[in-house]
Amino acid sequence: TQSTWSTLVDLSSGQSQDFALQQNAAQTNQYKSWVMGNPPAGWQGSPGAAAVPGTGAQILSLVKNGAGAADYVTGVAQGTATMPATVQTPITALALGNVVGGGYGYNGQIAEILIYNRALSDIERTQVEADLTARYIGGGTTDTSIPTTIGGLQLFLRADAGVTTDTNGKISAWLDQSGNGLDAVQATTAAQPSLVTGQSNSLPVVRFDCASWLDLPAVVQTNAAEIFAVVKLAANPDAN
């Protein structure tokens, strides 16, 4: 069963530091970036980006710029909020589809993840969103080089590049396309997500099932960041 704190991206070293992209336990399928300030004073969340179960791909964009936060769903603003300007450090680990070590699993698909170590300008953000929309939803012209032409890219994972699977489609490695070598890995077969072909706009996706996740080295810590996640929740996320 999916946790009420279902996690897409965890940079919080087991929920003790920094920030995470997690479901809001008080509102099902609404994802927020959660920040632990320095000095710590409890987790504080961004406005929230609602992901609708059982629909097509959606693009979540979550921005932290100093003490300000803003969230978008497929280019539509969801609101703004105030967050701690300074975050806890250091980050020692990163996970996808769960928190570091497991226990807060996500039930759905991830087609692409982008993490920048700064808040992008509105023009830069809309460029990335337009490319992701064209690739995974349809319409327009795609250019997979766009993320790498924008400065500050720390992590770039796409399900159609650099994925190592076994004969059952279980993923042991998902290679970072940013050039920073932050490859996602999972050596334990029972905890490996699956590669599923022919999904969002006929492209492959990585399928997480609440019990699977991928571990990565830590990204560069920063008090400003922008995360893009192309997701598709299961029709019933709270059931495996």
Side-chain angles (χ1 to χ4, degrees), residues 4 6 51 68 110 200:
T4 55
S6 164
I110 297 178
S200 297

Side-chain angles (χ1 to χ4, degrees), residues 4-50:
T4 55
W5 292 105
S6 164
T7 302
L8 289 171
V9 181
D10 177 36
L11 295 92
S12 60
S13 302
Q15 287 202 310
S16 63
Q17 299 172 2
D18 212 76
F19 69 92
L21 174 50
Q22 290 182 313
Q23 182 177 239
N24 178 7
Q27 190 167 349
T28 303
N29 302 321
Q30 182 191 67
Y31 284 82
K32 295 187 175 188
S33 54
W34 297 90
V35 170
M36 179 66 74
N38 187 12
W43 290 97
Q44 297 186 44
S46 65

Side-chain angles (χ1 to χ4, degrees), residues 58 64 73 76 108 149 154 169 174 177 189:
Q58 294 177 283
K64 182 185 185 300
V73 176
V76 178
T149 64
Q154 296 296 299
W174 192 3
Q177 305 299 304
T189 303

